[in-house]
Amino acid sequence: MTSQVEVAESTDGEPGKQVQQLDRVVIRFAGDSGDGMQLTGDRFTTETAGFGNDLSTLPNFPAEIRAPAGTLPGVSSFQLHFADHDILTPGDAPDVLVAMNPAALMANLGDVPRGAELIVNTDEFTKRALAKVGYAADPLEDGSLDGYSVHRVALTTLTVEALKDSGLARKDAERAKNMFALGLLSWMYHRPTEGTERFLRAKFAKKPEIAEANVLAFKAGWNYGETTEDFAVSYQVAPASAAFPAGRYRNISGNLALSYGLVAASRLSGLPLFLGSYPITPASDILHELSKHKNFGVRTFQAEDEIAGIGAALGAAFGGALGATTTSGPGVALKSETIGLAVSLELPLLIIDIQRGGPSTGLPTKTEQADLLQAMYGRNGEAPVPVVAPATAADCFTAALEAARIALTYRTPVFLLSDGYLANGSEPWRIPELPELPDLSVEFATEPNRPDGSFWPYLRDPQTLARPWAVPGTPGLEHRVGGIEKQDGTGNISYDPANHDHMVRTRQAKVDGIAVPGLTVDDPSGAARLLVLGWGSTYGPIAAGVRRIRAAGGEVAQAHLRHLNPFPANLGEILARYDRVLVPEMNLGQLAHLLRARYLVDVQSFTQVTGLPFKAEQLADALTLQLAQLAEGGLR
């Protein structure tokens, strides 16, 4: 982080507070799960996006609906990295930590480097609150924070004082302390304020006294920063103008981008979108969002369980709709039989898995990418399913279109593997122009396809091996569907051994033959001996780590897989080109396992399953070690 210092002029013409120009900042808001940290972070993010900075976020909240107040399990945080240039991750460590109580300080201080700024709500540092999290002494008084720049702010008291004439009870007034903190940070980093004021008045339109109280607290926080002597410096981070190609942008989360991608796929294909789903963290937001878009022909069905959700979606696909179901790992397990049925019926179906920590219910609000082998093989029999994975939050939109393309073209269920990090994180997204979007139009079977005037539902396209899609009720196209093996061509039930072998191999050949783009390798010099290969949400941390290595003079090639089944046709040649291949994954090496089995290449795994994304520094260190081993003569 680099900076330049200017001295602002006060309103009376006298020298005012210093203003430092920074190139990037990482801020983390942390407090009790009832303190509104996610809302606070989201508002700061929205204003930052509108200002024109590049950004990346990491919301982190407990799985409990409401953990006991003031406890470590109840700490909720929101981290935001914003800059005047393009960035790839939410940041390795906060430059500023806003701690609303002792639990928030204890839970997050280990991530904060010495010299960083701590803004601490002193009102919450009571003996009882300190004892609840195990502090033997007040860290604000015992010298343990001497290595940090500590700002002691009585956020609760100041908020209540600012709202003393609002008519609210003290308890209600205290709830606005997050808006006081937001106002202070907005002053500190010169964020726009008008949008937040409009948001608060709209959010609490039915309770105008609450709306005005929050606006007043927000303004009070801004004014406090402007007038207090404790904050002698404010900071400016210029818009990242050079980082963005020309276009119209908005801030978007992965789940929202994925929702918009599904709506776009529906419109581009001319098919109504049907979502059959059961609520599950962290996928529920897609159901919530799509339920708002009935005007685009979207139908959402909140089923009684996971099995009913996917059953309805498959039924909708049989009826000629773009069928989709959303879930996370535990729900995929329940849906597995119906996914196998979709493979047998050879109907398009989108299975969207927003991965989370497992096994079982595991870590519902933490991220992981450990469902890859489940997506590949988690069904009985030979039931191949294509698998695609987005790389960033904004890329979820494009990945949804790609999953729909494959499903509709090849008449197959398709897995889309996102995860909690992408789902809840956000970044700027350039809204595409209509001509940039793919043609997903579909032709249904409308007439018999045999010389004798009959209709064979499994008479395949010679290029794609896709069977015809006949909408039920089309005269003359009556046909049978079901999970029992079918005779090739006619679709009649068949127990013939040779036919079953043929059908199994044909379904596999259809997936193997899906046209996917070749893998692109970023290898500027063409002389790198080390390739780092990733998939899914590891893209940002990997790319940031590679940047650090290259900035230090190292040579590393980077490639990232969107298509995990089938793999790009040139993947084997690329793996053989490098002396060593490193595969970082938030699992115990599932992609590495597939690569070793398929290409007989001894790829090296670098894994973690902490429920958190990789840090750029972690990956830079891992790459440095690999380069050192190569320099010493070590080969695969």
Side-chain angles (χ1 to χ4, degrees):
M1 182 170 60
T2 59
S3 65
Q4 296 178 337
V5 179
E6 298 177 356
V7 178
E9 187 176 274
S10 65
T11 55
D12 58 5
E14 295 297 321
K17 295 185 176 184
Q18 291 183 350
V19 178
Q20 284 190 13
Q21 301 289 332
L22 304 177
D23 62 349
R24 65 176 188 86
V25 177
V26 179
I27 298 173
R28 183 181 297 178
F29 298 93
D32 192 72
S33 56
D35 285 338
M37 294 296 93
Q38 302 305 317
L39 175 63
T40 304
D42 183 69
R43 286 314 311 162
F44 195 95
T45 298
T46 299
E47 298 301 334
T48 296
F51 186 73
N53 296 119
D54 196 9
L55 62 89
S56 180
T57 69
L58 178 62
N60 190 2
F61 40 87
E64 291 79 9
I65 294 175
R66 187 67 172 91
T71 62
L72 290 174
V75 173
S76 175
S77 68
F78 188 105
Q79 183 163 306
L80 165 69
H81 182 191
F82 61 103
D84 65 2
H85 57 278
D86 68 306
I87 56 175
L88 298 159
T89 74
D92 285 358
D95 301 304
V96 181
L97 171 65
V98 180
M100 303 296 282
N101 59 21
L105 181 64
M106 175 174 280
N108 291 279
L109 189 61
D111 296 335
V112 182
R114 293 282 174 168
E117 293 192 78
L118 303 178
I119 300 174
V120 182
N121 180 16
T122 56
D123 287 324
E124 294 296 323
F125 279 67
T126 63
K127 288 184 179 181
R128 181 180 178 184
L130 292 166
K132 188 179 291 188
V133 294
Y135 274 121
D138 188 343
L140 299 178
E141 306 296 338
D142 66 3
S144 60
L145 302 180
D146 286 351
Y148 304 92
S149 176
V150 181
H151 302 278
R152 296 169 173 82
V153 183
L155 287 172
T156 307
T157 299
L158 290 167
T159 302
V160 171
E161 177 64 22
L163 302 182
K164 64 182 180 181
D165 297 326
S166 67
L168 295 180
R170 179 182 176 88
K171 185 176 181 179
D172 292 330
E174 288 179 358
R175 292 194 178 109
K177 61 182 180 291
N178 63 323
M179 288 298 104
F180 189 100
L182 177 61
L184 173 58
L185 270 292
S186 297
W187 169 83
M188 203 170 166
Y189 290 96
H190 296 256
R191 300 294 92 183
T193 61
E194 295 81 3
T196 294
E197 293 181 28
R198 286 195 302 269
F199 168 83
L200 291 171
R201 291 191 172 101
K203 180 177 178 62
F204 299 107
K206 295 182 179 179
K207 297 182 178 179
E209 69 282 2
I210 299 295
E212 292 309 313
N214 277 279
V215 170
L216 188 58
F218 176 69
K219 291 181 176 179
W222 176 283
N223 293 333
Y224 178 80
E226 182 72 25
T227 58
T228 183
E229 295 182 1
D230 189 36
F231 291 87
V233 179
S234 63
Y235 306 92
Q236 286 185 339
V237 181
S241 303
F244 301 124
R248 187 180 182 189
Y249 287 82
R250 59 158 295 163
N251 184 54
I252 201 165
S253 68
N255 273 352
L256 184 58
L258 209 158
S259 300
Y260 287 175
L262 293 175
V263 174
S266 170
R267 305 296 286 182
L268 293 166
S269 64
L271 304 177
L273 174 64
F274 180 93
L275 178 71
S277 185
Y278 182 74
I280 185 171
T281 301
S284 300
D285 286 343
I286 301 172
L287 173 61
H288 301 159
E289 180 61 34
L290 289 179
S291 68
K292 304 174 184 177
H293 297 293
K294 296 180 178 64
N295 57 313
F296 287 117
V298 178
R299 301 174 190 174
T300 54
F301 170 54
Q302 180 173 320
E304 65 268 29
D305 56 37
E306 296 281 4
I307 299 171
I310 190 172
L314 183 57
F318 179 58
L322 177 60
T325 189
T326 52
T327 189
S328 192
V332 174
L334 294 167
K335 296 177 188 290
S336 61
E337 183 178 4
T338 307
I339 297 171
L341 177 60
V343 172
S344 176
L345 298 182
E346 300 189 45
L347 285 171
L349 178 67
L350 303 181
I351 305 115
I352 297 161
D353 178 6
I354 313 299
Q355 301 166 96
R356 71 189 205 189
S360 188
T361 44
L363 305 174
T365 61
K366 309 303 179 185
T367 195
E368 205 166 276
Q369 51 177 179
D371 293 351
L372 175 56
L373 293 183
Q374 180 178 223
M376 289 285 291
Y377 302 121
R379 293 162 296 283
N380 64 296
E382 295 287 347
V385 174
V387 181
V388 301
T392 68
D395 187 45
C396 289
F397 176 86
T398 308
L401 293 179
E402 175 63 359
R405 177 191 74 85
I406 293 173
L408 295 171
T409 303
Y410 296 89
R411 309 286 196 268
T412 177
V414 178
F415 261 101
L416 191 156
L417 294 181
S418 180
D419 60 44
Y421 170 40
L422 296 184
N424 297 315
S426 64
E427 64 178 353
W429 172 56
R430 187 180 70 83
I431 302 172
E433 299 294 333
L434 189 59
E436 299 172 14
L437 299 178
D439 179 10
L440 300 180
S441 56
V442 173
E443 291 187 8
F444 291 110
T446 57
E447 56 187 23
N449 56 9
R450 295 290 294 163
D452 62 0
S454 63
F455 175 68
W456 281 14
Y458 284 84
L459 187 66
R460 301 178 184 279
D461 182 289
Q463 298 298 319
T464 65
L465 298 182
R467 76 174 185 88
W469 194 2
V471 176
T474 305
L477 304 191
E478 296 83 3
H479 60 285
R480 176 179 295 174
V481 297
I484 300 294
E485 184 63 280
K486 285 156 279 292
Q487 184 181 46
D488 188 31
T490 68
N492 296 328
I493 290 175
S494 172
Y495 295 101
D496 178 66
N499 177 77
H500 177 57
D501 183 272
H502 172 74
M503 292 294 279
V504 167
R505 295 181 187 278
T506 299
R507 288 187 288 261
Q508 184 65 59
K510 180 170 66 170
V511 173
D512 291 342
I514 291 172
V516 303
L519 183 64
T520 301
V521 180
D522 177 19
D523 186 0
S525 69
R529 299 174 62 194
L530 172 64
L531 170 69
V532 56
L533 177 67
W535 71 277
S537 66
T538 58
Y539 172 78
I542 288 174
V546 167
R547 278 186 183 178
R548 296 187 183 195
I549 296 299
R550 290 176 179 171
E555 291 185 336
V556 178
Q558 179 189 354
H560 209 76
L561 288 167
R562 175 190 293 285
H563 297 91
L564 297 156
N565 192 33
F567 286 130
N570 63 338
L571 178 56
E573 179 273 324
I574 289 172
L575 295 176
R577 191 189 307 168
Y578 293 90
D579 292 333
R580 185 166 294 188
V581 178
L582 183 69
V583 180
E585 300 182 76
M586 291 188 294
N587 56 49
L588 295 183
Q590 295 187 16
L591 175 60
H593 174 84
L594 294 173
L595 295 175
R596 292 187 188 110
R598 175 71 180 273
Y599 299 105
L600 303 181
V601 173
D602 186 20
V603 300
Q604 306 296 306
S605 281
F606 183 74
T607 65
Q608 75 170 29
V609 280
T610 62
L612 295 170
F614 284 109
K615 294 181 178 180
E617 183 180 9
Q618 282 180 282
L619 293 173
D621 290 345
L623 294 172
T624 299
L625 177 61
Q626 295 287 330
L627 290 173
Q629 291 175 352
L630 284 171
E632 293 171 1
L635 297 177
R636 291 182 294 177

